[in-house]
């Protein structure tokens, strides 16, 4: 039998010291006034192993864990004696004995969640951060407290445009009100109360660069406008769209700088291809959520440049092979993977074959949900292999005076504490934009009308009286 006793004290001491050390995790997202930070699960002081109280048979327990750790229960992470000693330190002898016994019985990776409240992906992040190893696995990782200490609620919305020349921003400036005051009827609270809130950032921020010659619409707001995002409860944005390059590479770099200065993570674009392809990972209530983003447009014109190894740009997916690999890689490191895609044809309320084809490729690659945008109007949704594909969230706060552009909404994902793909719930929260304001629809009549409209746009999808969406089995009536 291998002997670990000689290294136990040193490793445990390193773990204890790490509780007060800095980590290389990208960031800890602060909660706003409507949220309370959840304590890190498993960090209770009574689990810390005190000197002289180490289990006499710890060597044997470690041997059992190592001998029975395989790809199926390690999720591909290189779990070694240091990791298992950290588990022992974090959760105590009783939990560790149960873990060793479970692994010996051939239990899969779910045993970690049942015993600690953290999935194996979450435990790996905490371990790497606290012990100071595998820093490459902590890139683009954010730890965020949840509204509750159990499940996760995530909200997704469409295009937001902060260009001062555009009517929605002019309305706020003209009436001397803040942009958060333009979200009414309880909508602002709905956005701020979500554990994760994401929008499509349909503009640039900056003062430099030149508008793209020949492009019909170019959007740019002052860098200070980016401060509205955290005020709205927005936790991250997609830059994978056809307007972040409106002022060229200079404008994109300024945009990313403004977002960083306001602590708003972004996905789908970067200073080079490596950054543009990196997912964002959010550790919330013991689960790791991966968010990826790419744009299919522009399909004919090439105003918006794709990132290269040396130049800034977006991640494109008209030819989806690269983005498929991004999703596949994210699936190896996360419990739930989101594909946020800019695609389709402006003004088309019904989704098109190219969207369907791409969406299915993304699901086959491992996406647990596909959420789209770009059309400036709502499109419907369908399920493919039990995975929801919401084709377009349309405009969210963006004055576009064309038919069907006023209806909008939030697509909400509710992940329970002990989740499987079948227990995750999906909800459409209807909203309406008019005269500079986006409001939550609250009356039963207006909500039901919005639900029926969403069903009309969708395929084999039912929206119930609370907005939760359900797949209809083909051939059955609802």
């Amino acid at each position: 039998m291998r002997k670990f006793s000689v290294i136990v004290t040193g490793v445990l001491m390193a773990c204890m010291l790490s509780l007060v050390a800095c980590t290389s995790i990208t960031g800890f997202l602060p909660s706003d006034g409507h949220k309370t930070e959840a304590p890190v699960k498993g960090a209770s002081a009574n689990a810390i192993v005190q000197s002289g109280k180490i289990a006499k048979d710890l060597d044997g327990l470690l041997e059992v864990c190592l001998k029975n750790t395989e790809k199926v229960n390690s999720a591909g992470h290189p779990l070694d004696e240091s990791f298992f000693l950290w588990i022992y330190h974090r959760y105590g002898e009783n939990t560790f004995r149960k873990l060793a016994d479970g692994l010996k019985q051939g239990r899969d990776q779910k045993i970690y969640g049942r015993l600690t409240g953290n999935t194996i992906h979450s435990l790996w992040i905490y371990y790497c951060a606290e012990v100071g190893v595998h820093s490459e696995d902590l890139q683009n990782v954010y730890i965020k407290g949840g509204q509750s200490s159990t499940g996760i609620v995530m909200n997704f919305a469409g295009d937001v445009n902060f260009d001062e020349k555009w009517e929605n921003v002019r309305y706020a400036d003209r009436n001397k009100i803040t942009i958060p005051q333009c979200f009414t009827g309880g909508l602002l609270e709905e956005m701020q109360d979500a554990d994760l809130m994401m929008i499509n950032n349909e503009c640039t921020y900056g003062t430099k660069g030149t508008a793209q010659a020949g492009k019909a619409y170019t959007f740019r707001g002052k860098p200070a406008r980016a401060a509205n995002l955290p005020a709205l409860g927005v936790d991250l944005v997609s830059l994978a769209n056809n307007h972040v390059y409106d002022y060229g590479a200079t404008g994109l770099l300024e945009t990313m700088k403004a977002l960083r200065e306001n602590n708003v993570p972004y996905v789908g674009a970067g200073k080079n291809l490596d950054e543009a392809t990196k997912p964002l990972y959010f550790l919330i209530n013991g689960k790791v959520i991966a968010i990826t983003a790419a744009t299919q447009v522009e399909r004919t014109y090439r105003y918006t440049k794709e990132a290269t190894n040396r130049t800034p740009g977006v991640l494109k997916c008209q030819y989806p092979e690269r983005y498929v690999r991004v999703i596949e890689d994210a699936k190896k490191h996360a419990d739930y993977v989101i594909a946020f895609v800019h695609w389709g044809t402006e003004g088309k309320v019904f989704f098109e074959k190219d969207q369907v084809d791409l969406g299915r490729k993304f699901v086959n690659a491992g996406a647990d949900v596909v959420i789209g945008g770009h059309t400036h109007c709502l499109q419907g949704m369908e399920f493919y292999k039990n995975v929801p594909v919401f084709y377009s969230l349309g405009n969210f706060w963006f004055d576009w005076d064309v038919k069907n552009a006023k209806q909008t909404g939030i697509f909400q994902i509710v992940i329970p504490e002990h989740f499987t793909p079948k227990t995750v719930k999906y909800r459409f929260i209807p909203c309406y934009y008019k005269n500079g304001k986006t409001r939550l629809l609250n009356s039963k009549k207006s909500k039901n009308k919005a639900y029926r409209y969403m069903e009309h746009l969708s395929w084999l999808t039912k929206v119930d009286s609370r907005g939760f969406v359900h797949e209809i089995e083909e051939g059955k009536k609802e």
Side-chain angles (χ1 to χ4, degrees):
M1 180 184 295
R2 294 179 61 190
K3 297 296 182 182
F4 299 99
S5 300
V6 293
I7 65 169
V8 167
T9 303
V11 172
L12 294 180
M13 181 61 71
C15 288
M16 290 180 208
L17 290 174
S18 71
L19 291 176
V20 295
C22 295
T23 76
S24 56
I25 282 179
T26 298
F28 294 83
L29 289 186
S31 295
D32 56 44
H34 294 269
K35 298 175 183 172
T36 55
E37 289 289 347
V40 175
K41 292 193 173 187
S44 56
N46 61 10
I48 296 177
V49 180
Q50 301 296 327
S51 177
K53 294 185 179 180
I54 298 172
K56 293 180 179 180
D57 59 345
L58 179 58
D59 286 351
L61 295 173
L62 286 167
E63 189 75 32
V64 169
C65 290
L66 289 169
K67 184 178 179 180
N68 294 281
T69 293
E70 301 173 356
K71 187 175 182 180
V72 67
N73 58 33
S74 69
H77 298 299
L79 308 186
D80 57 13
E81 57 262 37
S82 173
F83 173 81
F84 286 111
L85 284 168
W86 176 82
I87 291 284
Y88 183 84
H89 155 74
R90 264 291 193 139
Y91 296 98
E93 181 179 333
N94 185 48
T95 296
F96 193 74
R97 288 186 180 279
K98 291 179 180 178
L99 175 62
D101 184 59
L103 293 175
K104 186 176 182 178
Q105 294 177 32
R107 301 288 177 83
D108 63 18
Q109 61 180 275
K110 293 179 183 177
I111 188 173
Y112 290 96
R114 288 193 293 268
L115 291 175
T116 70
N118 288 288
T119 66
I120 184 62
H121 294 301
S122 299
L123 290 170
W124 181 252
I125 289 172
Y126 284 135
Y127 162 70
C128 292
E130 291 189 2
V131 180
V133 295
H134 297 285
S135 59
E136 70 278 3
D137 288 344
L138 301 178
Q139 294 181 13
N140 279 23
V141 172
Y142 296 83
I143 295 179
K144 191 174 189 300
Q147 173 71 9
S148 72
S149 61
T150 54
I152 303 171
V153 176
M154 298 181 287
N155 286 346
F156 299 84
D159 297 352
V160 172
N161 181 5
F162 290 142
D163 188 322
E164 284 89 3
K165 300 187 300 295
W166 219 246
E167 178 54 31
N168 48 307
V169 180
R170 292 173 62 192
Y171 170 85
D173 292 347
R174 187 169 60 248
N175 288 279
K176 301 187 185 316
I177 60 175
T178 66
I179 284 177
Q181 288 176 304
C182 296
F183 295 78
T184 64
L187 178 56
L188 180 62
E189 291 74 16
E190 174 63 48
M191 296 165 66
Q192 292 174 335
D193 286 345
D195 296 320
L196 206 64
M197 176 74 209
M198 179 179 184
I199 58 98
N200 176 54
N201 193 100
E202 188 83 342
C203 64
T204 62
Y205 304 105
T207 58
K208 302 175 184 177
T210 304
Q212 292 265 24
K215 192 169 186 181
Y217 299 100
T218 55
F219 303 132
R220 181 168 68 179
K222 295 176 182 177
R225 295 287 182 182
N228 286 294
L229 294 167
L232 291 169
V234 172
D235 296 298
L236 73 155
V237 301
S238 174
L239 293 183
N241 61 59
N242 59 311
H243 284 290
V244 295
Y245 211 86
D246 282 356
Y247 286 78
T250 299
L252 174 58
L253 292 171
E254 273 198 293
T255 298
M256 295 187 294
K257 181 175 183 287
L259 293 170
R260 289 193 300 270
E261 289 175 346
N262 285 280
N263 297 313
V264 179
Y266 53 84
V267 65
K271 63 185 179 183
N272 53 37
L273 185 60
D274 182 62
E275 183 175 289
T277 55
K278 275 186 168 51
L280 296 178
Y281 295 96
F282 291 86
L283 200 169
I284 307 172
N285 286 341
K287 303 169 186 65
V288 177
I289 310 298
I291 300 182
T292 69
T295 176
Q296 179 208 27
V297 291
E298 302 124 343
R299 289 165 293 184
T300 304
Y301 298 103
R302 292 291 184 267
Y303 293 112
T304 305
K305 303 301 181 183
E306 184 168 20
T308 71
N309 292 333
R310 296 184 177 182
T311 60
V314 300
L315 175 60
K316 292 198 172 184
C317 64
Q318 183 178 3
Y319 305 102
E321 292 79 13
R322 179 178 282 127
Y323 186 48
V324 162
R325 291 195 296 271
V326 169
I327 296 171
E328 290 172 340
D329 186 64
K331 191 71 172 180
K332 298 174 184 176
H333 300 91
D335 302 298
Y336 191 88
V337 178
I338 296 164
F340 197 90
V341 190
H342 214 64
W343 59 5
T345 303
E346 292 183 2
K348 296 287 187 180
V349 297
F350 293 106
F351 49 88
E352 300 171 303
K353 185 179 184 301
D354 58 339
Q355 293 172 273
V356 174
D357 292 344
L358 284 173
R360 294 186 176 185
K361 284 183 171 65
F362 303 152
V363 172
N364 290 335
D368 293 291
V369 65
V370 180
I371 303 170
H374 170 66
T375 60
H376 298 298
C377 59
L378 285 174
Q379 289 184 328
M381 62 176 295
E382 65 172 340
F383 287 81
Y384 172 65
K385 294 184 176 180
N386 300 313
V387 172
V389 181
F390 197 117
Y391 283 100
S392 182
L393 287 166
N395 291 340
F396 192 53
W397 193 64
F398 186 174
D399 196 281
W400 194 273
D401 192 19
V402 296
K403 186 179 181 181
N404 301 314
K406 308 300 183 185
Q407 293 96 334
T408 185
I410 286 174
F411 184 62
Q412 184 177 83
I413 302 172
V414 182
I415 299 179
E417 181 177 13
H418 304 293
F419 84 99
T420 66
K422 291 185 178 180
T423 60
V424 179
K425 295 182 178 180
Y426 302 95
R427 187 182 180 203
F428 173 61
I429 302 175
C431 305
Y432 194 84
Y433 173 86
K434 184 178 181 181
N435 296 334
K437 292 185 177 182
T438 301
R439 61 182 171 86
L440 194 67
L441 297 183
N442 288 306
S443 73
K444 183 177 179 180
K445 181 179 180 180
S446 62
K447 287 191 292 186
N448 283 338
K449 183 179 179 181
Y451 298 154
R452 301 295 78 79
Y453 179 64
M454 180 52 59
E455 289 176 343
H456 172 66
L457 300 179
S458 302
W459 175 251
L460 295 176
T461 301
K462 172 71 176 176
V463 185
D464 69 22
S465 60
R466 295 188 299 159
F468 289 101
V469 297
H470 310 273
E471 183 177 13
I472 301 172
E473 187 176 338
E474 193 163 9
K476 288 191 175 182
K477 292 183 178 180
E478 283 290 323

